Amino acid sequence: FPTRRSSDLGAQFMRQIRASMPLVRDVPTNEYIQSLGNKLALASGKVSELDFSFFVINDIAINAFAIPGGYVGVNIGLIDAMSREEQLAGVIAHEVAHVTQRHHARAFAIGNQYSIRTAATILAAILIGQASAEAGQAALAAGMAATQQSAINFTRTNEIEADRIGIEILSNAQYNPTAMAESFAILRRKNRLNTSSGALQYLRTHPLDNNRIAEAKDRANSKTVITDTPQTDFQIFKARLAVLATEDKGQLLRTFEAKSEQNPTAETIYGIALLHAEANRYEQALSYLNKLGEIAKNHPVAELLRAEVLEEQGDLDGSQAVLVALHEEDPLRFSVVEKLTDL
């Protein structure tokens, strides 16, 4: 193993992940998660050394993971569990810290006796539960002797360090540093409510005890608290993911409508607009996009949907005008460039 760089192993596993896991391939969704991740990677101070890639997995299990080479994956289930952007940022900052501190890479490199097969087994354990908990446990039982198991334990001893570095990253990125402790509390609450056997997938590889939560709170309290993080991008991101992942769009529409009646938010209004658009109810979709404009004027994801609806209605000039305005505002937004090219 010492003759092979851990980043090469990470790239190899990333190819397997792309081939075997249900990655979300929606362009606006990937733009959001990559933008959020890049912000945190830059705040780590190590962005010049590592090229990060962030992606979303269409899996309702609550999980997130990092692998060598700067690859960070987040399940839809974990995203849905978070109520604010800074909480999701707390989880991602923790995973970024694992990469910048080379925790997994160092675990793979413990002792020259570890082969590529051993390293692959260790990584399989880190990713335990992505296919199924049983499969992950089987990989451990079949492929790891006692000395190999110690490498997994080594990675777990770095959780506190990842918390500490992650809180620094959050603060540097102008997020409330208390968000990491908040995300821990959410995960513990979800774990208590979990009716299936065993712990949540995330907690299998990220053991969480009272000391970790208390230390995260103490560290955060020593930082400057930021309280006005905008939530519109995150809310629209969550709504779009919910629509992409649901198997019952009718029920999801009713849920969004009921929530919107009590408290109309960017999440519920955009979700309703997107569901109407997908059902070819274009006038209703435009009506809700207009309502969304009262909360979040000219939001790029909402306006991209408006352009798509206008195109479906046959108003190509109107669609192009919306896209051109978006392109002038942000020439590097790929989702807009892609749509302009296709129009």
Side-chain angles (χ1 to χ4, degrees), residues 254-269:
R254 290 188 289 274
T255 299
F256 277 142
E257 288 174 337
K259 289 181 178 180
S260 190
E261 286 181 4
Q262 297 179 353
N263 180 31
T265 64
E267 181 176 356
T268 59
I269 297 173

Side-chain angles (χ1 to χ4, degrees), residues 108-166:
F108 296 153
I110 296 175
N112 293 339
Q113 74 273 22
Y114 286 125
S115 66
I116 292 297
R117 175 174 293 185
T118 300
T121 303
I122 295 172
L123 185 54
I126 292 171
L127 301 182
I128 188 171
Q130 285 299 325
S132 70
E134 293 75 15
Q137 294 288 358
L140 277 175
M144 299 192 70
T147 54
Q148 296 163 345
Q149 180 63 54
S150 70
I152 288 296
N153 295 334
F154 174 82
T155 67
R156 292 188 177 193
T157 64
N158 289 291
E159 289 301 293
I160 296 297
E161 184 178 25
D163 293 346
R164 177 177 61 81
I165 299 296

Side-chain angles (χ1 to χ4, degrees), residues 108-238:
F108 296 153
I110 296 175
N112 293 339
Q113 74 273 22
Y114 286 125
S115 66
I116 292 297
R117 175 174 293 185
T118 300
T121 303
I122 295 172
L123 185 54
I126 292 171
L127 301 182
I128 188 171
Q130 285 299 325
S132 70
E134 293 75 15
Q137 294 288 358
L140 277 175
M144 299 192 70
T147 54
Q148 296 163 345
Q149 180 63 54
S150 70
I152 288 296
N153 295 334
F154 174 82
T155 67
R156 292 188 177 193
T157 64
N158 289 291
E159 289 301 293
I160 296 297
E161 184 178 25
D163 293 346
R164 177 177 61 81
I165 299 296
I167 288 169
E168 292 285 346
I169 290 172
L170 281 176
S171 181
N172 291 344
Q174 298 299 298
Y175 284 111
N176 191 330
T178 62
M180 184 167 292
E182 289 178 8
S183 66
F184 287 166
I186 291 171
L187 292 170
R188 289 196 68 177
R189 183 169 64 252
K190 293 288 184 180
N191 194 49
R192 286 197 299 267
L193 296 174
N194 183 23
T195 57
S196 61
S197 60
L200 296 180
Q201 290 180 10
Y202 188 77
L203 298 186
R204 291 192 184 103
T205 51
H206 298 74
L208 186 59
D209 57 29
N210 291 331
N211 288 337
R212 273 190 67 193
I213 296 177
E215 290 180 12
K217 288 180 178 178
D218 289 343
R219 290 193 185 96
N221 288 335
S222 68
K223 303 292 182 182
T224 301
V225 175
I226 308 297
T227 59
D228 59 350
T229 302
Q231 298 299 321
T232 301
D233 290 351
F234 176 67
Q235 290 179 359
I236 290 177
F237 168 68
K238 281 192 69 173

Side-chain angles (χ1 to χ4, degrees), residues 99-111:
V99 177
T100 62
Q101 302 311 113
R102 296 178 55 80
H103 288 161
H104 300 333
R106 282 154 50 193
F108 296 153
I110 296 175

Side-chain angles (χ1 to χ4, degrees), residues 57-76:
I57 301 169
N58 190 356
D59 189 331
I60 62 172
I62 295 178
N63 205 6
F65 61 89
I67 58 178
Y71 301 100
V72 178
V74 187
N75 281 11
I76 282 179

